[in-house]
């Protein structure tokens, strides 16, 4: 029913806009009554109808999501819209429809109790650009909707000038007869006031902070990871400081999340004792219901997916596979490892050497050099990563993390680079006490190809000295479809699906990540996306792409506020990278 309410609100909003933009019916039965009203009523009613219509269009999505503030605003606007339609367009149908929706909203007011979403300042600029564009477009329609009352034949440029200055409340170059200039002027002024007013409200309203990991929550999560961190290779990524956390009533489990475009997006499995997972999941779902967010989980394990679906009634879909290498079984010998072995030997002959150390073993100068190099070698305008990226390097609280670096001294006559002999960096986060998970890969563009292979081999060979028995590499999306689709006897549907994935790999790292991971002969662990309904999948996918940094809807780079520092409280600098995000660039 909320969907129907939102649709009805959209329809009424369009009717209000149309009623204010187009001239009234001169031969309506109500025209005689309207003629006895004061002269200012008609143009004011036209302006009010347009403003109310646009506001109802903006509120329709909030009503679909049962937002309380959208309900309050709609209840206040619908009577005004009904009066405006009746006074200017003499539309009995539009007025009755508005009042009918008002009656329904009042009767079912308890259903609209969802709390507001986290918000940020960039929405003010987005509102100004979008609503300003809509106002100019509507203004052009308004200016041209009275062809028989226009003096002369004004040019398009004159009409545009009239719209722009009219939005600021001034009279433009286009003239009208029969007092139509008042109607057009009031309508344009109302549009300008609406654009300015809503933008000012979004810019200066008290800011409600988005999800952030507090120091207390981080400490509790670290305690849970110390006891149960071995269970999930993605557990340490829950310590990203741009996530929020909800804990089970017992405090023995937690779900970490971020809200993106109305989607409450969790990543990986819940943290903590498996027996306490249901309590944390219930708190997560309660939070989603309270705000009318769409719940979703990205990259949970098979066990996690079973618990999520059992406790919530949600559905699960296999998303891809995680490549995991058991250190005891890894070797460069054999025909299967021939290409990797030859590549590593070739790079070593070119004078490269590797170092694999815990973060705590690096000096402050070395950490700063790694941070600066990773920043400059990123290759994208924005950091990427959410579900499988920590978002920082060198934090003193992440001393157990592992950094693998490749070095090459400059040859005679060759200038030293801005980072000395540093040529490539791999960063791993802890996976319990005996494992580590690949966080990011960065390399100097001038370095020899194969830096990532070199450092992964170096990390695997150094793992026994670090008491590491398992290494989680990249996540390969839709790996099983790619693997089965190229086998002999694959059916037409599977081959078509594989062909589509290969085609999409031109823009997204799908096939390249799979082939890169397969070089190291890993075992594959499936990962799943958990969702409420199939119709939510496009929205969840778009939100996930925003969270991972593949889609950016924020302010232009030059206008962004420099507010990242408070997010990384004790961290020197932030570096995010979706696991494997540099494979395509480095391969």
């Amino acid at each position: 029913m909320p969907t129907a309410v939102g649709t009805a609100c959209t329809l009424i909003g369009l009717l209000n806009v149309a009623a204010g933009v187009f001239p009234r019916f001169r031969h309506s039965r109500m025209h005689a009554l309207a003629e006895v009203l004061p002269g200012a009523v008609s143009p004011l009613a036209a302006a009010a109808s347009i403003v109310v219509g646009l506001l109802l269009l903006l509120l329709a999505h909030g009503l679909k999501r049962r937002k309380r503030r959208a309900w309050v605003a709609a209840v206040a606007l619908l009577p005004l819209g009904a009066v405006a339609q009746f006074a200017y367009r003499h539309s009995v149908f539009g007025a009755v429809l508005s009042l009918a929706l008002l009656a329904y909203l009042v009767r079912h007011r308890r259903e609209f109790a969802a709390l507001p979403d986290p918000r940020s300042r960039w929405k003010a600029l987005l509102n100004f650009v979008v609503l300003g564009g809509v106002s100019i477009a509507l203004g052009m329609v308004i200016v041209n909707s009275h062809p028989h009352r226009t003096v002369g034949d004004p040019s398009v440029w004159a009409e545009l000038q009239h719209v722009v200055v009219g939005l600021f409340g001034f009279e433009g170059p286009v003239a009208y007869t029969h007092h139509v200039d008042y109607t057009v002027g009031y309508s344009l002024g109302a549009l300008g006031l609406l654009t300015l007013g809503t933008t000012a409200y979004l810019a200066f309203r008290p800011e409600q902070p988005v999800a952030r990991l507090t120091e207390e929550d981080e400490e509790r999560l670290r305690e849970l990871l110390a006891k149960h961190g071995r269970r999930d290779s993605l557990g340490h990524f829950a310590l990203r400081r741009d996530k929020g956390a909800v804990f089970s009533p017992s405090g023995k489990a937690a779900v970490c999340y971020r809200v993106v475009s109305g989607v409450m997006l969790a990543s990986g499995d819940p943290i903590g004792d498996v027996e306490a997972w249901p309590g944390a999941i219930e708190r997560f779902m309660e939070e989603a219901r309270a705000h009318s967010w769409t719940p979703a989980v990205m990259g949970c394990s098979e066990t996690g997916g079973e618990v999520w679906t059992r406790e919530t009634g949600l559905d699960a879909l296999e998303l891809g596979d995680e490549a995991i290498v058991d250190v005891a079984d890894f070797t460069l010998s054999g025909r299967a490892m021939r290409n990797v072995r030859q590549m590593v030997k070739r790079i070593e002959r070119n004078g490269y050497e590797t170092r694999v150390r815990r973060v705590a073993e690096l000096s402050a100068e070395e950490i700063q050099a790694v941070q600066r190099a990773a920043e400059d070698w990123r290759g994208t305008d924005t950091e990427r990563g959410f579900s499988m990226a920590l978002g920082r390097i060198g934090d003193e609280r992440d001393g157990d993390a592992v950094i693998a670096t490749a070095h090459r001294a400059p040859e005679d006559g060759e200038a030293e680079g801005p980072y000395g002999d540093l040529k490539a960096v791999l960063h791993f986060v802890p996976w319990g006490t005996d494992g580590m998970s690949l966080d990011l890969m960065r390399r100097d563009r001038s370095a020899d190809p194969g830096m990532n292979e070199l450092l992964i081999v170096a990390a695997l060979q150094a793992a026994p000295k670090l008491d590491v028995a398992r290494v989680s590499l990249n996540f390969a999306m839709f790996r099983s479809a790619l693997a089965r689709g190229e086998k002999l006897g694959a059916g037409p549907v599977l081959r078509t699906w594989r062909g589509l994935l290969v085609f999409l790999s031109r823009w997204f790292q799908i096939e390249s990540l799979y082939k890169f991971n397969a070089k190291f002969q890993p075992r594959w662990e499936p990962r799943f996306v958990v969702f409420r309904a199939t119709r939510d999948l496009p929205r969840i996918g778009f939100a996930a792409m925003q969270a991972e940094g593949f889609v950016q809807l924020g302010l232009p780079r030059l206008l962004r506020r420099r507010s990242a520092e408070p997010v990384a409280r004790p961290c020197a600098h932030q570096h995010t990278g979706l696991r494997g995000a540099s494979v395509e660039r480095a391969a």
Side-chain angles (χ1 to χ4, degrees), residues 270-331:
I271 306 299
D273 188 355
V274 176
E275 297 296 327
W277 282 8
I281 291 173
E282 183 180 358
R283 288 284 180 88
F284 175 89
M285 296 301 292
E286 289 176 354
E287 190 79 3
R289 284 190 294 269
H291 293 83
S292 192
W293 292 329
T294 300
V297 185
M298 296 294 296
C300 66
S301 68
E302 188 169 0
T303 301
E306 291 174 352
V307 177
W308 273 100
T309 55
R310 184 186 69 231
E311 296 296 326
T312 64
L314 301 179
D315 203 353
L317 182 67
E318 185 173 336
L319 190 60
D321 295 89
E322 178 185 13
I324 298 176
V325 179
D326 294 310
V327 173
D329 298 332
F330 178 76
T331 177

Side-chain angles (χ1 to χ4, degrees), residues 71 75 78 96-109:
W71 179 90
V75 167
L78 284 170
V96 170
L97 191 60
S98 298
L99 295 177
L101 180 59
L102 174 64
Y104 179 88
L105 290 176
V106 173
R107 181 178 179 182
H108 298 276
R109 56 187 176 277

Side-chain angles (χ1 to χ4, degrees), residues 202-275:
L202 293 172
F204 298 109
R205 64 180 175 174
E207 187 170 9
Q208 176 181 332
V210 298
R212 290 288 182 262
L213 197 66
T214 65
E215 292 187 14
E216 180 183 356
D217 287 345
E218 182 176 344
E219 187 61 37
R220 294 174 68 183
L221 288 174
R222 288 186 181 274
E223 292 176 0
L224 294 177
L225 287 171
K227 297 178 181 178
H228 308 282
R230 191 180 188 278
R231 214 211 56 79
D232 186 15
S233 64
L234 307 186
H236 200 85
F237 298 123
L239 298 177
R240 283 183 64 101
R241 287 163 185 156
D242 57 359
K243 291 182 178 180
V246 289
F247 290 83
S248 65
S250 65
K252 295 182 179 180
V255 175
C256 296
Y257 70 93
R258 187 197 297 175
V259 179
V260 184
S261 296
V263 177
M264 191 175 184
L265 201 62
S267 59
D269 291 343
I271 306 299
D273 188 355
V274 176
E275 297 296 327

